[in-house]
Amino acid sequence: MYNAHRGMVPAPNSRLNELLDQVRQEFDSQQNRTGEYESNMAQQVSEMELVRQKVYNLEQNQVAIKQRYEEDVARLRHELEARGGPPSHVSISGLPPHAGLSQPQPPAIGHGPSNLFGGIMANPPGQGAPGLVPPTQDQQQQQVPPPHQMGASQALQQGAFGGYPPSHGMNGGYNPQPPQTTASPGPGKGRVNRGPPGPSTPHQAPSNSYPDTRPSPQLGRPPSPLPPHPSHQIINNLADLDLDSLRPEQKREGNEWFAIFNPRIQRVLDVDLKHTLNHDSVVCCVRFSQDGRYVATGCNRSAQIFDVADGRQVTKLQDETVDKDGDLYIRSVCFSPDGRYLATGAEDKQIRVWDIASRTIRNTFSGHEQDIYSLDFSRDGKHIASGSGDRSVRLWDLESGREGLCLTIEDGVTTVAISPTGELVAAGSLDKSVRVWNAHTGNLLERLDGAEGHKDSVYSVAFAPNGKSLVSGSLDKTIKMWELDNPAPNGRMVGPGLASRDRMGSKCVKTFEGHKDFVLSVALTPDSRWVLSGSKDRGVQFWDPRTGDTQLMLQGHKNSVISVAPSPQGELFATGSGDKAARIWRSVFTSLLSKPRAWTNPLRSQVFGKGRPRIAPSVCGRGLFSHVLGSAPTQLVVPGSM
């Protein structure tokens, strides 16, 4: 019976199988739903990616439209001003770029806050923000470099080599960039805010100060001359030439530097690197001593002096009493004519005059309310001129230790220079003007601007050795030479109401065009034969002041060339850059490259006997020439075309 009824007993696992089937069905159902959810999510992600791409395309179109708009506006403004129309006083935003005392504090020139140097360093790719500090090792691997006045700030650590991407051609990496705006560069790193400016700096020497509190007069100018012929422009655009296509005599290459000589004019110069002076920070300025034996540099917290002969550091001048927090860049250095003192101007608004032998501070001049950007010694060694972002030029008496003159203008002062005779002081400003005063009375003799003037801030001025002309360099990428003939008698005040015979009769006699970016520093060689210029495009150029042609372009820095300075003894010149290096170069006439003709000036030429080469300045025709003479008696030769 047991076997007969065995099939009627339910299987013990049937209930379990039913439960497992239910679980399996539920699992399959959830798996199908998961697949649907994943499909929906993938579709939504795809739609979001499509939307993101459309937004990106719209942004790119907007940037392109804005760039074309700014280019059209800049072109129309340039055409208007070139045809003698009034310069534009309204920026694209509708606000005046320089609004006098009602505007915020004028930008400082350097890598500090509110700085101008921030905007003159090589820009990162696709950005308008400055790039100040040399890049890290990783950045250097990604960006191969072909360069005032720079590891200085957090906001500026965006790559000193950006802005000019490398290329395989000779142009040194000058790929097309968005047009520069006409406004001065904006703020850089965020160190302590110096606060908004107050009224114009008060005159501390009222009897000698500029007597009129109204804005400096702007003289009427004749319409600007027609633009140079396009073929002339091509001559000076040496950065556009292909290095490989140039003949050997049209170029010279060294270790990490090269020079291009203008192929359309006769080559009369040669150039070579003498010393590289490495620093721990940006080199804001360079200056030779009067005897040419030493060169001084200004960098973060210190000024350094090097022996020109061997490149050895002779001394380091640093004020140990200054607060150690933050940066304190030395913007300007200047030797006294006798070489005993070195004046330094810094971000802390102080001018220090150092006794070089004892490394002690002889004088400290206080009075400026903003960073000091430029200094110059008078030839007699008794006075120092200073320029500051507080909109003032001041002259200081070294013997009395007091301020002698305070000359105020409407915008920040970027550069100052005293004429060789000590009669004039010139200054460049953010307001695109160059002003010339009588250094004794403080009377304004000339304001160089208007149709003939620069179209952007002036960053450098320098007098010619004869004192009758000066050159200026600007953010408009040009250099101008001004003729200062017929100074006003007795230093009388110049104004629109005075007769023309009372004015200096100054005029722009030459405009040098060829740099790819801001011109940051200009100088003339001691023989007046060449104008030197340093630029944000990292290049140094030698210009012939008679023709306006560039003789050569030198590329030897990995960042902006902030400062250039020729040796007062000729032959040598120095450069300072944002790549943390100063360099000393040698330039000589190369009579072997052309058919020379012998010429001797009995009044100036000299013959030197044994000893190291000497410089013999001699007058020849329309200009002065420097000749490097050998140790044996040598007859002076100059190129036949001169």
Side-chain angles (χ1 to χ4, degrees):
M1 293 180 61
Y2 175 78
N3 292 334
H5 295 282
R6 184 176 181 86
M8 300 176 61
V9 178
N13 294 329
S14 61
R15 181 59 179 168
L16 178 59
N17 291 333
E18 290 176 1
L19 293 175
L20 289 175
D21 291 337
Q22 292 178 5
V23 171
R24 187 178 297 110
Q25 292 174 3
E26 184 67 22
F27 177 81
D28 293 340
S29 176
Q30 293 298 331
Q31 191 175 30
N32 292 335
R33 292 180 182 178
T34 300
E36 294 176 359
Y37 292 154
E38 289 178 349
S39 177
N40 292 337
M41 290 176 61
Q43 183 178 358
Q44 292 177 0
V45 169
S46 177
E47 292 175 353
M48 292 176 61
E49 180 65 19
L50 182 61
V51 171
R52 189 197 68 81
Q53 185 64 36
K54 290 183 178 179
V55 171
Y56 176 79
N57 292 337
L58 289 174
E59 290 177 348
Q60 294 301 309
N61 291 337
Q62 190 271 340
V63 170
I65 293 173
K66 180 180 179 182
Q67 179 174 334
R68 288 196 298 269
Y69 170 75
E70 291 177 346
E71 290 175 346
D72 290 340
V73 170
R75 177 178 55 80
L76 292 174
R77 286 178 176 171
H78 180 74
E79 291 178 358
L80 177 62
E81 294 173 0
R83 295 176 183 178
S88 175
H89 296 288
V90 181
S91 62
I92 294 178
S93 64
L95 298 177
H98 299 292
L101 296 179
S102 62
Q103 67 176 356
Q105 168 185 338
I109 307 176
H111 15 288
S114 311
N115 78 61
L116 291 183
F117 268 157
I120 64 179
M121 302 308 295
N123 291 337
Q127 300 183 29
L132 174 64
V133 185
T136 63
Q137 185 174 359
D138 293 339
Q139 291 173 323
Q140 288 178 346
Q141 294 175 355
Q142 297 175 1
Q143 301 175 354
V144 181
H148 59 265
Q149 258 187 325
M150 275 178 181
S153 78
Q154 182 178 4
L156 300 177
Q157 292 176 347
Q158 301 180 11
F161 306 107
Y164 299 101
S167 74
H168 299 289
M170 169 45 230
N171 59 2
Y174 299 114
N175 291 346
Q177 299 187 55
Q180 302 289 346
T181 58
T182 56
S184 301
K189 80 170 194 182
R191 60 186 164 101
V192 180
N193 187 1
R194 303 185 189 276
S200 298
T201 306
H203 300 285
Q204 298 192 10
S207 60
N208 293 328
S209 300
Y210 175 45
D212 195 348
T213 59
R214 296 173 296 177
S216 302
Q218 180 171 345
L219 303 181
R221 295 290 179 196
S224 59
L226 293 176
H229 191 272
S231 62
H232 183 82
Q233 292 283 352
I234 296 175
I235 291 179
N236 291 335
N237 292 336
L238 302 186
D240 294 334
L241 301 179
D242 180 25
L243 182 63
D244 296 333
S245 65
L246 296 175
R247 297 193 301 271
E249 67 271 16
Q250 295 172 347
K251 60 186 176 182
R252 180 162 187 187
E253 297 180 79
N255 185 18
E256 297 185 349
W257 67 272
F258 62 83
I260 298 178
F261 300 90
N262 197 330
R264 298 201 177 188
I265 61 177
Q266 187 177 31
R267 175 180 169 183
V268 295
L269 282 180
D270 197 8
V271 65
D272 195 9
L273 177 63
K274 182 177 176 67
H275 297 299
T276 296
L277 313 175
N278 293 316
H279 292 66
D280 294 329
S281 64
V282 170
V283 179
C284 300
C285 49
V286 292
R287 202 73 170 261
F288 279 93
S289 60
Q290 189 63 33
D291 60 10
R293 296 176 56 195
Y294 303 100
V295 65
T297 63
C299 54
N300 190 18
R301 294 194 166 273
S302 70
Q304 302 178 34
I305 300 177
F306 297 85
D307 190 304
V308 170
D310 56 16
R312 173 179 52 90
Q313 185 186 95
V314 175
T315 189
K316 181 177 181 179
L317 305 175
Q318 182 170 344
D319 190 347
E320 300 295 342
T321 65
V322 176
D323 187 358
K324 299 297 189 296
D325 294 335
D327 295 329
L328 182 62
Y329 278 85
I330 308 300
R331 307 294 191 194
S332 182
V333 294
C334 186
F335 282 98
S336 62
D338 59 10
R340 296 175 56 193
Y341 308 115
L342 183 75
T344 63
E347 295 178 339
D348 62 357
K349 316 169 192 176
Q350 304 292 317
I351 300 170
R352 296 172 178 84
V353 181
W354 295 83
D355 185 302
I356 297 175
S358 63
R359 292 192 296 180
T360 58
I361 298 176
R362 180 185 187 274
N363 298 87
T364 299
F365 296 115
S366 302
H368 280 296
E369 298 177 354
Q370 295 296 330
D371 298 3
I372 297 168
Y373 304 142
S374 183
L375 297 174
D376 198 18
F377 251 107
S378 62
R379 291 295 179 90
D380 60 10
K382 296 181 179 180
H383 299 91
I384 297 175
S386 61
S388 167
D390 64 7
R391 307 182 179 97
S392 72
V393 175
R394 302 182 187 226
L395 276 78
W396 310 85
D397 190 304
L398 199 63
E399 295 179 353
S400 67
R402 297 181 179 180
E403 178 183 301
L405 282 178
C406 179
L407 313 169
T408 58
I409 62 173
E410 297 86 28
D411 215 332
V413 178
T414 59
T415 174
V416 295
I418 298 178
S419 66
T421 63
E423 296 292 324
L424 306 174
V425 58
S429 171
L430 297 179
D431 64 4
K432 314 174 188 178
S433 299
V434 177
R435 293 172 175 81
V436 182
W437 291 272
N438 183 300
H440 302 297
T441 66
N443 289 338
L444 181 66
L445 302 179
E446 187 63 281
R447 177 169 177 170
L448 309 174
D449 55 9
E452 284 188 325
H454 288 290
K455 302 303 184 289
D456 208 336
S457 302
V458 178
Y459 263 40
S460 183
V461 295
F463 278 98
N466 62 11
K468 296 181 179 180
S469 59
L470 61 81
V471 292
S472 56
S474 168
L475 300 191
D476 65 7
K477 309 176 188 178
T478 70
I479 302 114
K480 290 183 179 289
M481 173 164 278
W482 306 87
E483 188 178 81
L484 304 178
D485 287 344
N486 304 319
N490 302 321
R492 282 184 287 176
M493 187 69 178
V494 172
L498 295 181
S500 59
R501 59 184 174 83
D502 293 327
R503 301 174 180 169
M504 291 187 69
S506 304
K507 59 182 178 180
C508 178
V509 294
K510 198 71 65 179
T511 297
F512 308 90
E513 297 182 88
H515 275 296
K516 290 285 188 178
D517 216 322
F518 303 153
V519 177
L520 307 179
S521 182
V522 295
L524 289 103
T525 55
D527 56 10
S528 296
R529 182 63 181 85
W530 303 104
V531 174
L532 276 68
S533 60
S535 169
K536 182 183 173 183
D537 63 18
R538 309 171 189 164
V540 177
Q541 296 203 32
F542 275 65
W543 307 83
D544 188 332
R546 301 167 303 171
T547 64
D549 294 329
T550 181
Q551 168 72 196
L552 67 88
M553 180 197 69
L554 174 65
Q555 284 279 338
H557 285 285
K558 300 180 179 65
N559 207 317
S560 302
V561 179
I562 308 165
S563 180
V564 296
S567 169
Q569 299 304 310
E571 182 183 356
L572 301 179
F573 65 98
T575 56
S577 170
D579 63 4
K580 300 185 179 181
R583 288 188 161 186
I584 301 177
W585 308 82
R586 178 185 293 106
S587 63
V588 296
F589 273 88
T590 55
S591 58
L592 297 179
L593 297 179
S594 59
K595 295 181 180 179
R597 61 180 177 88
W599 184 90
T600 302
N601 183 344
L603 298 179
R604 297 293 305 278
S605 300
Q606 302 180 34
V607 175
F608 297 92
K610 297 181 179 180
R612 63 185 181 89
R614 297 282 302 279
I615 303 300
S618 59
V619 181
C620 178
R622 295 171 291 175
L624 297 172
F625 295 80
S626 289
H627 309 278
V628 180
L629 306 181
S631 58
T634 307
Q635 185 181 26
L636 300 180
V637 294
V638 295
S641 63
M642 296 298 172

